[in-house]
Amino acid sequence: MRIGPYQLPNNVICAPMAGVTDVAFRQLCRRFGAGLAVSEMLSSNPLVWQSEKSQKRMTHQAETGIRSVQIAGADPAQMAEAAQYNVALGADIIDINMGCPAKKVNKKLAGSALLQFPQLVEQIIQAVVQAVSVPVTLKIRTGWHPDHKNGVVIARIAEANGIQALAVHGRTRACMYKGDAEYDTIRAIKQAVTLPVIANGDVTSPQKAKMVLDTTGADAIMIGRAAQGRPWIFREVVHFLATGQELAPPELSEVESILQEHVQGLHQLYGPHLGPRIARKHVGWYLAEHDAAGAFRREFNAIELPEQQLAALTMYFHQLAAT
């Protein structure tokens, strides 16, 4: 799939996820085959750009691959300025967030709340596209309520105003992440526009990825929550789409190696105090299958020091291998 001047190596993309898709996670996902890994959303409010949290999120310079940075907000001028700011920091693609259903985002009229106001949607897109020379993409939901699915209308606005690719989560804002994703609207959007359409929502396996692509006719698929604690899902999906064959799951030793690398990356990115705290949720995702009762995760969550976390993981996997 192509986005502006950028030819993606495949059509399997890592979704932007707040608090998850930092540079450490994106690098892992790309290494395991993601054709693109989009950053977690960054606020368009310039008052927060210099905060430590924002500075960590805006780390792109040393990143390999195509760097797609997502911005969120409701003011066209601020969104344009945020786009320019992130391009100056190394973004190759700017992605506009109109899909997040979180209340703290929607109460500021950002994220999927914008779908209620097509005129404002158009103004934001126009402002961002005109502000930067890099491709601009957009992520939306199918609408703001099951009775108000206006994804096709928004998609046509996006195409008419220079959006280079459109990702669609198969739920409305009101649905949050409940129930099953619906793909009919994504198919209708794909049929209504000529720009690349990326299908998102409940892509949890290689087989599901193929089904979603076949059902929607989309150009690519986007994987979000299924990659948490499982970055190798991209390798599995890319292989299955290319060959029709399933890859064997990673050996326990590989899972340990990946997890240790991820945790070390979080320690380096966030520092010795915050790094271990952020590592806890990732370790919980990686070990959900192996530590079903949660005994080790409770022990791990009490560890404050980076070197002790790494030592605990080494011991845990040693015991796991022995049994």
Side-chain angles (χ1 to χ4, degrees):
M1 193 183 88
R2 196 172 189 86
I3 300 178
Y6 300 111
Q7 179 65 51
L8 274 57
N10 57 57
N11 63 342
V12 184
I13 298 171
C14 176
M17 291 177 280
V20 179
T21 50
D22 53 28
V23 64
F25 187 77
R26 295 195 302 271
Q27 293 282 67
L28 267 180
C29 293
R30 269 195 293 268
R31 201 178 84 217
F32 281 105
L36 185 70
V38 186
S39 79
E40 55 188 325
M41 65 180 177
L42 301 165
S43 172
S44 62
N45 182 357
L47 296 177
V48 303
W49 292 349
Q50 299 308 316
S51 70
E52 184 178 358
K53 183 177 181 180
S54 291
Q55 288 295 308
K56 296 296 185 186
R57 287 184 172 185
M58 290 176 174
T59 301
H60 322 301
Q61 293 285 15
E63 199 169 346
T64 60
I66 303 165
R67 294 167 291 199
S68 177
V69 176
Q70 187 181 77
I71 58 175
D75 180 86
Q78 279 195 350
M79 288 288 280
E81 186 181 357
Q84 292 172 334
Y85 186 80
N86 282 283
V87 168
L89 289 175
D92 298 313
I93 295 170
I94 292 294
D95 184 60
I96 300 174
N97 182 318
M98 294 188 186
C100 179
K103 287 183 180 179
K104 68 178 182 180
V105 175
N106 283 195
K107 73 180 182 182
K108 298 177 182 177
L109 200 63
S112 55
L114 286 165
L115 300 177
Q116 300 169 86
F117 308 100
Q119 187 175 1
L120 181 55
V121 166
E122 186 168 45
Q123 291 170 356
I124 290 171
I125 292 171
Q126 288 174 345
V128 174
V129 169
Q130 291 169 14
V132 294
S133 58
V134 304
V136 179
T137 59
L138 175 67
K139 189 167 192 286
I140 66 171
R141 286 186 165 230
T142 56
W144 72 88
H145 188 274
D147 295 330
H148 298 281
K149 293 180 184 177
N150 63 340
V152 170
V153 172
I154 300 297
R156 286 178 172 150
I157 290 171
E159 182 173 45
N161 289 280
I163 290 296
Q164 299 289 298
L166 178 69
V168 187
H169 184 109
R171 290 181 174 88
T172 68
R173 171 199 173 194
C175 295
M176 298 293 286
Y177 295 98
K178 297 175 182 176
D180 296 327
E182 52 94 7
Y183 305 115
D184 291 350
T185 306
I186 301 178
R187 183 172 65 246
I189 288 170
K190 175 57 189 171
Q191 293 171 349
V193 296
T194 60
L195 80 172
V197 172
I198 304 157
N200 177 224
D202 294 354
V203 181
T204 54
S205 69
Q207 294 81 0
K208 187 69 176 286
K210 185 176 188 309
M211 184 279 283
V212 171
L213 285 171
D214 291 345
T215 300
T216 63
D219 302 276
I221 50 119
M222 181 174 271
I223 299 173
R225 289 171 294 162
Q228 294 174 354
R230 190 183 163 198
W232 53 83
I233 190 175
F234 295 101
R235 175 175 69 188
E236 297 171 346
V237 170
V238 170
H239 183 80
F240 185 81
L241 293 178
T243 68
Q245 299 176 343
E246 294 182 41
L247 282 178
E251 298 286 342
L252 194 62
S253 58
E254 186 182 11
V255 174
E256 178 185 6
S257 176
I258 296 164
L259 180 50
Q260 290 272 16
E261 177 187 343
H262 194 171
V263 170
Q264 287 181 49
L266 294 170
H267 293 163
Q268 292 168 5
L269 179 61
Y270 295 104
H273 175 68
L274 190 57
R277 294 173 181 271
I278 291 176
R280 292 168 185 168
K281 64 185 175 186
H282 289 278
V283 169
W285 289 328
Y286 276 96
L287 300 183
E289 177 185 346
H290 302 289
D291 183 38
F296 173 74
R297 280 173 285 172
R298 287 190 291 274
E299 174 190 325
F300 186 86
N301 288 347
I303 300 173
E304 299 284 350
L305 299 177
E307 58 272 18
Q308 290 181 4
Q309 281 194 337
L310 296 172
L313 287 171
T314 298
M315 179 63 69
Y316 174 77
F317 276 96
H318 178 76
Q319 294 172 344
L320 203 58
T323 57

